[in-house]
Amino acid sequence: MPLTKSAPAPAPEAASAPAPASAAPASVAEAELRASDADRDRIADILREALAEGRLQPEEHAERIDAVYRAKTLGELEPLVRDLPAAPTGGAASAPPRDAESEWPRSLPESENLVAVFGGSTRKGRWRVRRRTNALAIFGGVEIDLTEAVFEQQEIVIHVVAAFGGVEIKVPENVSLRGSGAGILGGFDVTTYEAQDPDAPVIHVTGFAVFGGVEAKPKRGKRLKNLRA
């Protein structure tokens, strides 16, 4: 009796490929990265360009700039320029190089520290302002006089911590002055002002005072003759 061939056993089903991991967690992780000073500066440059082109009103620009220097993560920075040209995508805070950058050289170190502990520290006269100045006053006083300073960046941040001490900041009348800080059983007094020239330096005073005081205001009669020198 002839043998019949048995039907070939069905091939085992190929193991289904694992579903690709969602890209959302990576995006969330990127948005939660802590923002650096350079990230904030790049976003501020985009906002400055938008103000100069008339895409933002001065009030809108001021509100967004304040938010820039309060932002802690990249995810907080990206929405501030989402509706503007050259806005970063995916939470990355970057902007293409612009010809205008050559007008504001960045040859100086990014920051300078002024410390007064049971004493005093003063910065005044003809000096080159860094992009960021950190002032710490503990049972002491810090004086920062910008009325004769040389501005080589447009956006300047002065971060202040005053504990049982004081910090006084004097600026020329024709620059923009903004503040976002807090006084805890102390005073944090910044006289905000918007310069008429959109290319004028912008000084942001941030930080806090605990049992101390911070004061920033224009010095009457003092104006920068050349906004970039």
Side-chain angles (χ1 to χ4, degrees):
M1 184 176 181
L3 296 175
T4 58
K5 292 183 179 180
S6 59
E13 294 184 1
S16 57
S22 172
S27 299
V28 171
E30 185 178 7
E32 292 177 351
L33 287 176
R34 301 286 290 190
S36 68
D37 290 339
D39 293 325
R40 298 184 185 92
D41 291 338
R42 284 192 291 268
I43 295 298
D45 287 342
I46 296 174
L47 294 175
R48 177 167 64 89
E49 185 70 16
L51 175 65
E53 294 175 349
R55 300 179 189 275
L56 290 177
Q57 295 300 312
E59 296 79 6
E60 295 175 303
H61 178 261
E63 291 175 1
R64 295 196 190 194
I65 282 292
D66 287 341
V68 165
Y69 289 101
R70 289 196 305 267
K72 302 296 184 184
T73 65
L74 295 181
E76 295 176 51
L77 288 174
E78 191 274 336
L80 299 174
V81 292
R82 184 178 292 160
D83 57 345
L84 299 174
T89 58
S94 61
R98 299 184 297 108
D99 293 339
E101 288 296 327
S102 60
E103 299 176 359
W104 296 96
R106 299 183 179 183
S107 58
L108 287 175
E110 286 292 315
S111 63
E112 177 177 8
N113 298 320
L114 299 175
V115 179
V117 179
F118 290 98
S121 179
T122 301
R123 202 72 162 93
K124 62 181 181 179
R126 190 75 170 168
W127 61 290
R128 301 169 70 193
V129 185
R130 310 292 173 87
R131 180 173 290 273
R132 182 181 179 91
T133 299
N134 302 307
L136 173 64
I138 301 177
F139 290 100
V142 174
E143 179 186 356
I144 302 175
D145 189 338
L146 300 168
T147 57
E148 298 179 9
V150 177
F151 292 83
E152 295 186 342
Q153 296 86 20
Q154 191 189 27
E155 301 282 344
I156 303 296
V157 177
I158 301 177
H159 184 71
V160 177
V161 175
F164 296 94
V167 177
E168 182 181 12
I169 302 168
K170 302 173 184 176
V171 306
E173 289 185 319
N174 57 336
V175 304
S176 294
L177 178 61
R178 302 168 186 165
S180 57
I184 305 171
L185 297 178
F188 198 98
D189 184 12
V190 177
T191 303
T192 59
Y193 176 77
E194 291 296 322
Q196 294 182 354
D197 186 344
D199 289 329
V202 180
I203 301 168
H204 308 268
V205 182
T206 67
F208 59 90
V210 181
F211 289 102
V214 175
E215 182 181 35
K217 62 182 180 181
K219 187 173 181 179
R220 182 169 297 179
K222 290 290 186 177
R223 298 175 63 85
L224 292 181
K225 296 179 181 179
N226 187 338
L227 295 177
R228 293 188 178 85

